[in-house]
Amino acid sequence: MSTINIEVDGQTLEANPGQMLIEVTDQAGIHIPRFCYHPKLSIAANCRMCLVDVEKAPKPLPACATPVNDGMVVRTQSERARSAQNGTMEFLLINHPLDCPICDQGGECPLQDQSIEYGANASRYHENKRQVKNDDIGPLIATWMTRCIQCTRCVRFSEEIAGVMELGMVGRGEHSMIKTHPDGEATPDQVGAALCSSVNSEVSGNVIELCPVGALTARPSKYAARVWEMQNHAQISPHDCVGANLNVQTLRGEIIRAMVRENHQVNGYWLADRDRYGYESVYADTRLKRPMIKDQSGWREVGWETALRHAAAGLNTVKQRDGATKMGALANPSRTVEELFLLQKLMRVLGSDNVDHRLRQDDFRDDLLAPLYPGSELEIIQFESLDRVLLLGSNIRKEQPLLGVALRQAAVNNAASISAINMLDYDFHFPLANTHIVSPGDMVTSLANVAVAVSGITGVSLDADIQKRATDTNAQEQAIAASLLSGDAKNKAIIMGASALNHFEASALSAISAWICEQIGAKLVKLPEANSAGAWLAGCVPHRAEHGKEVAKTGLNAKAMLAKPLSAYLLYDLEPGLDASRSGEALSSLETADFVVQCAAFVSDEAMNYADVLLPIAHYTENSGTYINCEGRVQASRAAADPFGEARPGWKVLRVLGNYLELEGFDYIDLADVQDDYVLGDEQIVSQSGASVNDSPVKIDSKAIYRYVETPMYRLDASLRHAAALQQTMDTPTPAVGLNEKTLVGLGLAAGAEVSVRQGEIELKLLLELDNRLPDNQAFIPAGYAETSSLSGYEPITLEAG
Amino acid sequence: MLNPDSLKQIELEAQKYPEDKRASVIMAALSIAQEEKGFLNNSLIDYVAGVVGVPPMRAFEVATFYSMYAHQPCGETQIKVCTNISCQLRGSDKIVERLEKRLGVKLGEVTPDGKIGLKEVECLGACVGAPMLQLNKDYIENLTPEKIDEMLDQLAGVGA
Ligand code: SF4
Ligand code: FES
Ligand code: FES
């Protein structure tokens, strides 16, 4: 495309035909005031703040909605431009309350900033200003709607990026207001506190930063600090494998709030709510403040030295009596590479390879064939240009909200054809070309059938192992294969999400996916939890040390460590009763064990039963270290504050524990020393193939009712479970049993009543809900709740009324 | 929620617009719904959004933007009196005064028996006959307070 030239304020600028003037001036660093324009949103041109003087145009034109023309001459500072801009500002301020002194946005407010340059120093408006009621739109966003200038950025964000139009502008003219959908039959002017629905999007918090005034601000940090008093600390969100960049902000050493740090390779302008509000647990009442030990008289707080000595002595006793291989370490995959590295080193120097971070994984059969780390063969920025996608066991919208946003862009802008083979019919915010909902026992067969169809269309011969798992390809499977192969699409991917990677035949799913990818020229994308890539590279797996180095003898994986009790456990920021998918088993093993050391940021009810020593470690926001995302990107995070109470950074705790255990190689002076020890280079995107289609399929009883398990997005680890506002959202439901209608009727049960759930010896009572997203005979009972922690994994259960 | 006839009318309207521009159908669909039900409550707006295939919030925006959509029962007979500039200059104040007095309700209200709704509207494009009002679908122009009496008597006669 040939470029054209325009002249702005006497400067010649090169531009692409059709570009909006404001894009060109932004690139050139020429400032034009604006409120409604945002590079990632559609153009509304409704605030009129960007008016500029264009030669030959009869009136000033809005730079955000004026396409450039060859030879166009623009003045942004002429008399005409300035008076248009000043005039707009005067109108905008007519109904604005000018309450900056009590406004949380003050100091970071585009309206405040631009009114200094374009506003008059006194108002000519002496009439009454309008008032707008504030709605309660949920626990994350505070509203002060009288300040709204109707730019509609929030509305466009909800519709175009978040993908669900939860906000809109109702009424007209002076009566227009930003609202959520009214509940029940409330009329627009009655809609007040209780009468409107909440904003439920998993990326809703972005409207706080988009809102150019103080109409929408962060609710958990309301009135907590003034912007100019806060300090920014560059951090990486540990909650998913995206590694969103953010600034955690502190006031006099105390963490107040988190805001996005733009990184156009990773998260762009956006954060997921989990990234933004996860910090809130840092000062939860449940923080573990001091080391504690348990002896005959029960739990008591002690000094660090006593606690570490106690921990070391306990571990040594077990080692001498039962041998090091009777000990195991389990870690939360959202911790930093440094901590995970030291944890596995400590275990291995002690003489045990029992280290793992995969407490939700069930199938470990292809560990030795696995790539260096599970991740994506696609860069994150390539998600938006995908054309053909198969989601396999993935609820990408809730698991990696920002990748969900990117995939939605692919669907909307690129007309990507997206299909899904899932075990639950998730509510996606993009259209699906094919939705194939199968029970967990049929996942491998369905995918094998798609492989058969691919081989039928392309003529390549099918792998014999895959053939063995296939049955008759049905119409949906055929359609999925056809969609993946249709047209001359270049950018294709198979995306494996949490429920595929945690499936009891994950290795077969990986292998078949890899085969299909190879045939159709697609990338294989595995999206594991949190900093899993970092955990693998740190050696926090039983079969490999750091950087994939071979180990002499493979240790026990997480499932094996918890299936039968070991003598001692070292738990790192984990509550296996909530973090393991086989939680019931995990709890009984931990309770049987002789000695359990828990390094934790929070006091945990379950640990009070099984642990012997509690060592308080820094919350993730108080921690410095490295994270590695799904594309192998190595990113550093800096502690935003000192650890709370007597908690210490995790790496220091592990280092000193190493000293008390008198282990070699624990003489680090600072974090950089630890980093030198395992030499973290730039990681590459690695091929994700390598699994095998295991020939011993897992047997499923087709008549039994199985407990289907997933962990809701804000229950994934302790730092989220203690984040108050996130716990009040719709994405943290009360645990219940879900059954589809057919299964419900078949069992003669009624939704809304209590049922008793039995799994082996275990019995518990839960509310029964109708959930038609499920296939037949599957009872959805979420993990991550104390109420359901006695259950274990995907196993048959019985349900009875009452 | 709507009868088959209304749904058919909405489908006819939809055919006027390209398939990927469904939002264009909202206005017509809301009018058709209001025609059938008398006014648009929230569940009806949501229902119309579903029929048209747009997010409920989008239909809600449209329904609250235009003054021709009613959100409450607005009387079996509707009187919409213009108070915009031309009518005002030609004495619409007097017209409103007489209407309010005779009906015993204020602008924006409905008579207690639910029979007559009185509403203030902006220019109806009939300035040439100002002051004017709209009685159901008819325009009545060159109004005087006496003409109002006549009109209301007639209405009462019909009602009796
Ligand atoms: S609430 Fe904020 S973002 Fe939304 S329209 Fe008003 S000023 Fe714009
Ligand atoms: S920024 Fe151009 S009109 Fe708002
Ligand atoms: S001003 Fe009343 S009809 Fe135009």
Side-chain angles (χ1 to χ4, degrees), chain A residues 313-643:
Chain A
L315 292 174
N316 271 329
T317 310
V318 170
K319 181 178 169 181
Q320 266 139 38
R321 196 189 58 207
D322 302 338
T325 51
K326 285 288 174 206
M327 304 196 287
L330 291 161
N332 173 351
S334 74
R335 299 302 294 202
T336 62
V337 175
E338 290 80 353
E339 291 166 280
L340 297 167
F341 167 75
L342 284 182
L343 181 73
Q344 64 86 31
K345 178 171 173 179
L346 188 127
M347 254 307 134
R348 291 203 155 107
V349 178
L350 266 174
S352 170
D353 282 294
N354 303 338
V355 282
D356 212 345
H357 66 279
R358 300 167 294 174
L359 280 86
R360 294 192 177 93
Q361 190 168 317
D362 198 68
D363 180 4
F364 298 85
R365 286 174 293 182
D366 63 350
D367 263 3
L368 294 174
L369 301 172
L372 202 50
Y373 62 85
S376 167
E377 292 176 3
L378 267 185
E379 286 174 46
I380 286 175
I381 42 167
Q382 293 170 321
F383 272 72
E384 277 192 32
S385 14
L386 282 168
D387 301 307
R388 302 284 182 270
V389 181
L390 172 59
L391 290 170
L392 185 67
S394 163
N395 185 5
I396 196 166
R397 178 175 173 194
K398 303 289 177 182
E399 288 166 17
Q400 297 83 21
L402 295 179
L403 297 182
V405 163
L407 200 53
R408 185 175 178 280
Q409 294 298 309
V412 174
N413 302 333
N414 219 14
S417 164
I418 305 173
S419 303
I421 304 181
N422 274 333
M423 293 162 273
L424 201 63
D425 193 359
Y426 303 116
D427 180 20
F428 289 111
H429 47 16
F430 43 76
L432 286 178
N434 304 286
T435 314
H436 195 23
I437 305 301
V438 299
S439 68
D442 293 333
M443 279 296 274
V444 174
T445 310
S446 285
L447 189 64
N449 291 346
V450 172
V452 171
V454 166
S455 121
I457 300 172
T458 57
V460 270
S461 60
L462 189 66
D463 188 291
D465 285 339
I466 299 179
Q467 182 73 63
K468 267 191 246 158
R469 301 300 305 269
T471 54
D472 288 336
T473 303
N474 69 21
Q476 262 163 325
E477 290 151 0
Q478 190 70 42
I480 292 172
S483 143
L484 288 171
L485 285 161
S486 63
D488 51 2
K490 296 243 159 31
N491 304 319
K492 307 180 185 180
I494 297 184
I495 299 178
M496 296 180 69
S499 54
L501 299 171
N502 296 334
H503 190 270
F504 48 84
E505 289 196 83
S507 52
L509 292 174
S510 286
I512 305 173
S513 300
W515 185 87
I516 300 176
C517 281
E518 199 180 316
Q519 309 318 317
I520 65 172
K523 303 281 193 207
L524 183 54
V525 176
K526 292 182 187 163
L527 299 175
E529 270 177 57
N531 189 29
S532 289
W536 277 76
L537 287 161
C540 199
V541 281
H543 58 293
R544 288 177 192 164
E546 76 271 19
H547 276 288
K549 268 192 240 154
E550 272 181 45
V551 293
K553 187 171 171 295
T554 293
L556 298 175
N557 60 48
K559 187 181 168 190
M561 272 190 256
L562 293 169
K564 284 207 210 76
L566 295 173
S567 303
Y569 291 93
L570 174 51
L571 300 179
Y572 199 76
D573 199 22
L574 271 182
E575 298 170 273
L578 305 174
D579 290 318
S581 67
R582 306 188 65 83
S583 48
E585 230 169 64
L587 286 175
S588 76
S589 290
L590 287 162
E591 276 156 26
T592 315
D594 291 335
F595 196 68
V596 178
V597 180
Q598 196 203 41
C599 300
F602 300 93
V603 182
S604 136
D605 295 337
E606 59 173 69
M608 288 302 174
N609 290 331
Y610 57 65
D612 298 275
V613 187
L614 301 180
L615 303 176
I617 54 170
H619 186 261
Y620 74 87
T621 53
E622 301 163 337
N623 214 10
S624 293
T626 311
Y627 296 98
I628 303 174
N629 76 0
C630 61
E631 42 173 8
R633 185 181 300 276
V634 176
Q635 302 189 100
S637 202
R638 292 283 192 137
D642 289 337

Side-chain angles (χ1 to χ4, degrees), chain A residues 155 159 165-173 179-188 190-191, chain B residues 40-46 55-62 64-68 71-72 122:
Chain A
V155 176
E159 194 178 9
M165 191 179 179
E166 294 186 293
L167 289 161
M169 186 151 78
V170 307
R172 147 158 81 164
K179 292 265 175 214
T180 56
H181 194 276
D183 263 357
E185 285 306 332
T187 58
Q190 288 169 348
V191 176
Chain B
L40 299 170
N41 62 16
N42 296 342
S43 40
L44 184 55
I45 297 172
D46 287 359
M57 200 60 217
R58 172 64 9 116
F60 198 68
E61 287 185 329
V62 176
T64 55
F65 184 89
Y66 293 103
S67 58
M68 70 269 203
H71 298 279
Q72 256 139 15
E122 304 302 333

Side-chain angles (χ1 to χ4, degrees), chain A residues 145 147-155 169 178 207 210-213 215-216:
Chain A
M145 299 319 288
R147 295 179 186 142
C148 169
I149 58 166
Q150 284 83 37
C151 71
T152 70
R153 272 182 172 194
C154 55
V155 176
M169 186 151 78
I178 298 297
V207 299
L210 285 170
C211 181
V213 301
L216 306 173

Side-chain angles (χ1 to χ4, degrees), chain A residues 231-308:
Chain A
Q231 270 184 314
N232 280 333
H233 306 267
Q235 292 215 331
I236 303 301
S237 169
H239 302 301
D240 61 24
C241 61
V242 173
N245 292 203
L246 46 91
N247 282 320
V248 171
Q249 300 179 319
T250 57
L251 173 67
R252 290 185 282 278
E254 191 180 313
I255 293 167
I256 302 290
R257 187 177 75 156
M259 300 288 263
V260 70
R261 184 158 45 93
E262 280 173 35
N263 180 337
H264 293 284
Q265 303 296 308
V266 183
N267 52 306
Y269 293 98
W270 317 130
L271 285 183
D273 288 352
R274 197 164 53 184
D275 308 326
R276 184 184 303 276
Y277 297 107
Y279 78 86
E280 218 202 337
S281 54
V282 65
Y283 302 125
D285 297 339
T286 42
R287 271 304 289 274
L288 179 61
K289 297 175 196 70
R290 264 177 284 282
M292 293 175 80
I293 61 173
K294 186 166 66 181
D295 51 23
Q296 283 80 2
S297 52
W299 282 103
R300 61 191 169 94
E301 292 185 345
V302 294
W304 267 106
E305 204 184 308
T306 314
L308 287 163

